[in-house]
Amino acid sequence: MTTPHRAPSSDERDEVDELTADELELDGDIVLPCDELSSVLVVDDPREGLWELVESGWAVEHLPELPALALEQDPIHRHKDVLAHTIAVVAQSPPRLRVRLAALFHDIGKPLTREITHGGVTFRNHEAVGAKMTRRRMPQMGYSDQMTEQVTRLVFLSGRFKGYDTGWTDAAVRRYARDAGPLLGDLNDMVRSDCTSRNVKRVQALHDALDRFEVRIARLAREQTVAAERPELDGDEVMAHLGLAPGPEVGQAMKFLLELRRTEGELGDTEVRRRLDAWGAAQASVEYGSEQ
């Protein structure tokens, strides 16, 4: 009597979500749709495999959003269809499963958001719509909750960089990095891949802009780290607030504020001064007790 196979648990599937082609082996008895798709995505050039999934009817059964992309990107000017663009983006992205999945799903919201106007065709909010579709489809294919959430997040953020050339403030750059979080590298890799133009200068311009953007993110992160190592009040402000003259007590107060910044982050001027008052009162109490 043979023991029946079971589908892998969510925890087990998390362990294989980042496998490469050399490491990915399919179970000979049970092959989930996610296994079949992943085995295609993690090879160096996935184009032939992806077209086979579409043309064989596999995608219609397991990932119908993919063949649905075979629509005219711009029926007025007959630009490239979204399916061909998507497969090209996947092929240009690094062969990491999470990035490849995000590239595959990044435009699936376009068929539902396409509007033809006198000025051409638009796909307003297709990233948000596509993110919802991604969150619904991936678990049905067998992907883990963790991978589903990460890919959904990348799809949602996939169009964010397009506004960078309008002149972002430092705060906007920090927000982009903060929203991406640990997926920042994957997001930027996907953005870099999402340009299939035959215009070499246009592609190079995008890559140059993204290079500068990544340098700016790194610079702002360093500045934020340095700032986090400074108390929110300087020595002069501490002396004025507590009525102290230069001396050891000021150094002790600054040490207290630095530790406060390290453990609790930026609290704001009002709260920091309140904490400093409490610290000063505690110090005075200790000194008074020692004199008794």
Side-chain angles (χ1 to χ4, degrees), residues 150-206:
Q150 291 173 342
V151 173
T152 296
R153 187 63 176 166
L154 288 170
V155 171
F156 182 78
L157 296 172
S158 60
R160 187 75 66 86
F161 179 75
K162 293 176 182 177
Y164 179 65
D165 58 1
T166 61
W168 283 12
T169 63
D170 285 349
V173 175
R174 291 192 188 98
R175 189 179 308 114
Y176 175 99
R178 184 173 61 250
D179 289 348
L183 299 175
L184 179 62
D186 288 342
L187 178 59
N188 287 343
D189 282 343
M190 189 172 65
V191 169
R192 194 179 297 275
S193 302
D194 190 15
C195 185
T196 56
S197 173
R198 295 179 182 177
N199 187 323
V200 177
K201 290 184 178 179
R202 181 180 179 184
V203 174
Q204 189 60 50
L206 171 67

Side-chain angles (χ1 to χ4, degrees), residues 65-72 81-84:
E65 295 85 356
L66 187 60
L69 295 177
L71 52 84
E72 295 288 347
D81 68 72
V82 184
L83 177 57

Side-chain angles (χ1 to χ4, degrees), residues 2 4 36 52 93 97 100 112 115 127-128 138 160 167 169 204 225 231 240 243 258 278 283:
T2 59
E36 295 180 273
E52 174 62 23
S93 64
L97 182 56
R100 287 270 171 95
L112 293 182
E115 293 184 8
E127 296 93 351
M138 286 185 62
R160 187 75 66 86
T169 63
Q204 189 60 50
T225 299
L258 178 58
Q283 293 297 110

Side-chain angles (χ1 to χ4, degrees), residues 1 6 21 42 73 83 97 143 159 172 181 200 213 227 243 283 291:
M1 178 177 177
R6 60 174 176 82
V42 295
Q73 178 116 1
L83 177 57
L97 182 56
Y143 284 105
V200 177
F213 185 60
Q283 293 297 110
E291 294 174 356

